[in-house]
Amino acid sequence: MIRKKERKKGPVWKHFYSISEHDDSHPHVQCIYCLKDFQRAVPERMQAHLDKKCPSAPNNAKSQSVQQNNSTSIIGYTDNINEEIVRKRGSVWKNFHIIGKYGDSHPSVQCNYCSKEFKRAVPQRMQTHIEKCEQVPNNVKSKLKQSRQQNTIKINNINDYMSEEEQKSLESLLAKALSSAKIQFSFVDNPFVIQFFNHLRPSFKLPNGEEIKIQMSQTQSLNDITYHPEYCHQFEIKTEDGSDIDTDTTIDLECESESKKRTIFESCKEAAEKGDIKSIFKLGRCYANGIGTEKNEIKAFESYKEAAEKDHVESMYKLGCCYQNGIGTEKNEIKAFELYKEAAEKGDLDSIDSMYYYDKLECCYTELRHCYENGIGTEKSEIKAFELNKEAAEKGFVESIYELGCCYENGTGTEKNEIKAFKSYEEAAVGGHIESMYKLGCYYENGTGTEKNEIKAFKLYKKAAEEVDFGPSMYKLGFYYANGIGTEENKIKAFESYKKAAEGGFFDSMYDYRCCYAKLGCYYENGIGTEKNETKAFESYEEAAEKGHVESIYKLGCYYENGIGTEKNETKAFESYKKAAEEGHIESIYKLGCCYENGIGTEKNKTKAFESYKEAAEKGHVESMYELGCYYENGTGTEKNEIKAFELYNKAAEKGDLNSMYKLGCCYRYGIGTGINVIKSFEYYNKAEKKS
């Protein structure tokens, strides 16, 4: 039998904890940097999270394309904000994608980096968001800030200069002022505060909140800070080793020291005891993940419950997870459903100031939809699931927009509508959703819900493939390069695409996954786009065969039979042919007949050989028709029947089989299954000789 082995997991998995009780292919996982939960692990979504949403993911956790160009927006391929708009409206606009009407003075816009939507574009608000957004690269922030300051100087027509020393001195003074007044550092990000300071002294480069924090860490120690519950979230706290830690930023659980984790836990606990809701929630996270204390699911549950009772939406979501999975309490799907529902209803997008909170609100809708779809804690209802999905999509949650497309595509909870499905996938793709880019590519490829456009399909597959090495898109990209569809034919790029797709393993569809390895085997076998390598060809076919690719199972049999790329093993060859034959693979059925006829990897058995040839011949296999004719002519493995033999030779000869042409010549010459006809005998002998 063919050796089984576990499907390889890509590099993205090392950045996530598995918190499922069962070892399945899509376990419940959690990001080790920001603790975001994924109820069903899908590698491309996990990688997209690290690339675009996780505020704490290091550069080495991101995909190669993001590392190379971290400032490139994922929605660049559809970004139609042209230079004229930027020139007229200001440089801040190039960081946003207009999703409303271009003629409006305040259209709806969406951040290129975190996909946050602004229903009414206001440049000051957009400017503040870019300076605060954790997904925006520092070089973009610096350029925008510099542009803002230069514009302010021009407007006020003031020509002054401030030295670096003066700048640092004033920054330090401002940091101390905010600290002593117990004012949050985000105060300096207020557009009116910016306007006020610029009016007083435009040359003073007002630092943002993050820069103020750095200034604070350099000038003030933990003992200098008067305690206030907000400080647990807003101030840098010194640990024993003198380094800084911000408890509002989730910890890298692999890299932070135990002393830092302990400081976080103690700070959260102290603030929680004083009634700070956010700290009660964070205390639950500490207990849930063993941050600075022993892991204690019961205490985590109790903390989430306490904060949830005070209307903390994130805690409602986590409490729902606890009830749904029986974490720290008895499993109760009804309570889980109720909590997800309450959290979704209470969630207010306009008050969101944290990507983490945004993600948790999105998770509430996701879990609630999951409950309706599967009847968890409530009656199963595809219609309600669809309505909820539509509501979440209208709020701008990209995953929900994608799921809405799936509903329209499959007619789940609503009427099937390919045009609406296309529009939903298009909207989600603009928001950076990788699977939607792939789906959109498929729609353009097949002309579904839109006009067929292979060039656009190619560009979409290429974009999705480059972002997170998304397997299905990478496979499609290989196919397009191989056949010159939507682009010039390029066998080298085709090979590279198939190789990346195979190595990444980012597939929900096992069909694409095994086809990738099969294509790779073919390229190695024939030296297409790479050097010929029979060993690698064998390994690729073996990988595809283990995933159930029938053609590769057959190829594996050929390699074992002839010792190509591996040691010769007729027993394994026979087993491979038999397995593929059972799946209806015609060539394998014929090969199985050969094995039985000649005793290859099994005992000789003329009856079984006859049965195999007969099955393959009935499926149109020409060589099997010839072999079956021989068996009928000689009565091998069956009763002798010259008429059937003649009919089979004739049928195979019509399909161009030389051996059958020769046999027909013999039949006409000696009257086997037909009357003697010297002229026809000569004709068939002549045909066979000319084509040989």
Side-chain angles (χ1 to χ4, degrees), residues 464-497:
E466 288 173 347
E467 286 300 328
V468 291
D469 294 339
F470 184 51
S473 290
M474 194 70 77
Y475 171 73
K476 283 284 191 179
L477 199 60
F479 182 77
Y480 271 49
Y481 276 128
N483 298 283
I485 301 172
T487 186
E488 291 184 2
E489 183 178 308
N490 192 319
K491 299 296 185 183
I492 295 174
K493 285 188 176 181
F495 168 77
E496 290 170 351
S497 296

Side-chain angles (χ1 to χ4, degrees), residues 326-369:
I327 300 171
T329 186
E330 289 185 3
K331 189 172 182 177
N332 190 322
E333 292 181 343
I334 295 175
K335 285 188 177 180
F337 168 77
E338 290 171 350
L339 282 159
Y340 292 141
K341 191 170 186 290
E342 186 178 1
E345 290 171 352
K346 287 183 180 293
D348 181 10
L349 279 176
D350 293 333
S351 66
I352 288 178
D353 60 356
S354 161
M355 281 305 297
Y356 179 80
Y357 175 52
Y358 183 94
D359 287 341
K360 283 294 169 277
L361 185 56
E362 183 177 10
C363 288
C364 289
Y365 277 100
T366 301
E367 291 302 330
L368 193 56
R369 183 179 69 242

Side-chain angles (χ1 to χ4, degrees), residues 435-454:
E435 287 172 281
S436 294
M437 293 180 196
Y438 170 73
K439 282 282 192 179
L440 202 60
C442 294
Y443 272 49
Y444 276 122
E445 178 181 348
N446 301 300
T448 307
T450 187
E451 289 185 3
K452 186 173 181 176
N453 192 320
E454 291 177 340

Side-chain angles (χ1 to χ4, degrees), residues 297-322:
E297 293 180 346
I298 295 174
K299 286 187 177 181
F301 168 80
E302 291 170 351
S303 294
Y304 292 144
K305 188 178 181 185
E306 182 181 350
E309 288 171 351
K310 296 182 179 182
D311 290 340
H312 189 261
V313 176
E314 293 163 272
S315 296
M316 292 177 190
Y317 164 71
K318 295 299 285 186
L319 194 62
C321 293
C322 288

Side-chain angles (χ1 to χ4, degrees), residues 593-606:
C594 296
C595 288
Y596 282 126
E597 181 178 0
N598 301 293
I600 299 171
T602 186
E603 291 183 1
K604 283 186 178 183
N605 190 319
K606 299 294 185 180

Side-chain angles (χ1 to χ4, degrees), residues 116-372:
K116 180 171 181 177
E117 185 177 330
F118 292 82
K119 296 293 185 184
R120 186 172 183 271
V122 179
Q124 282 184 326
R125 188 182 176 199
M126 293 154 65
Q127 177 101 24
T128 301
H129 169 75
I130 290 296
E131 292 177 356
K132 289 174 65 178
C133 181
E134 295 170 337
Q135 310 300 316
V136 178
N138 289 330
N139 64 323
V140 175
K141 290 183 179 181
S142 299
K143 288 179 182 178
L144 193 60
K145 187 176 176 182
Q146 185 179 3
S147 174
R148 179 193 70 190
Q149 290 161 349
Q150 289 173 348
N151 289 338
T152 306
I153 293 171
K154 289 177 182 178
I155 291 169
N156 290 280
N157 196 26
I158 297 173
N159 184 21
D160 72 347
Y161 170 77
M162 180 170 288
S163 67
E164 185 177 348
E165 185 178 347
E166 286 179 292
Q167 172 76 23
K168 291 292 182 184
S169 176
L170 286 175
E171 285 182 3
S172 176
L173 184 62
L174 178 59
K176 289 178 179 179
L178 295 178
S179 174
S180 61
K182 299 179 182 178
I183 298 174
Q184 296 184 12
F185 293 140
S186 58
F187 168 80
V188 296
D189 295 321
N190 187 299
F192 297 107
V193 173
I194 294 170
Q195 185 178 358
F196 173 75
F197 275 102
N198 282 332
H199 179 74
L200 289 178
R201 188 84 180 271
S203 62
F204 169 52
K205 299 175 182 177
L206 187 68
N208 60 32
E210 288 299 315
E211 291 168 332
I212 283 287
K213 286 183 180 182
I214 295 172
Q215 187 65 237
M216 191 69 231
S217 69
Q218 294 171 346
T219 60
Q220 198 163 357
S221 67
L222 178 62
N223 295 330
D224 296 327
I225 301 174
T226 305
Y227 176 78
H228 187 276
E230 277 190 347
Y231 292 173
C232 183
H233 313 297
Q234 299 298 335
F235 285 171
E236 299 269 8
I237 299 175
K238 294 281 186 177
T239 57
E240 293 175 1
D241 60 6
S243 56
D244 301 319
I245 188 165
D246 177 7
T247 55
D248 195 39
T249 301
T250 308
I251 319 149
D252 180 337
L253 296 178
E254 285 190 337
C255 301
E256 297 292 357
S257 66
E258 289 302 320
S259 63
K260 286 185 179 182
K261 294 178 185 179
R262 186 68 185 174
T263 300
I264 287 180
F265 170 73
E266 293 295 343
S267 299
C268 289
K269 187 177 181 184
E270 186 177 357
E273 288 171 353
K274 294 183 181 292
D276 184 60
I277 299 176
K278 194 170 183 180
S279 295
I280 297 169
F281 165 67
K282 288 199 169 187
L283 190 63
R285 289 170 64 191
C286 287
Y287 280 126
N289 298 284
I291 302 172
T293 185
E294 288 186 6
K295 188 173 181 178
N296 190 319
E297 293 180 346
I298 295 174
K299 286 187 177 181
F301 168 80
E302 291 170 351
S303 294
Y304 292 144
K305 188 178 181 185
E306 182 181 350
E309 288 171 351
K310 296 182 179 182
D311 290 340
H312 189 261
V313 176
E314 293 163 272
S315 296
M316 292 177 190
Y317 164 71
K318 295 299 285 186
L319 194 62
C321 293
C322 288
Y323 277 122
Q324 184 176 350
N325 300 292
I327 300 171
T329 186
E330 289 185 3
K331 189 172 182 177
N332 190 322
E333 292 181 343
I334 295 175
K335 285 188 177 180
F337 168 77
E338 290 171 350
L339 282 159
Y340 292 141
K341 191 170 186 290
E342 186 178 1
E345 290 171 352
K346 287 183 180 293
D348 181 10
L349 279 176
D350 293 333
S351 66
I352 288 178
D353 60 356
S354 161
M355 281 305 297
Y356 179 80
Y357 175 52
Y358 183 94
D359 287 341
K360 283 294 169 277
L361 185 56
E362 183 177 10
C363 288
C364 289
Y365 277 100
T366 301
E367 291 302 330
L368 193 56
R369 183 179 69 242
H370 181 70
C371 288
Y372 279 126

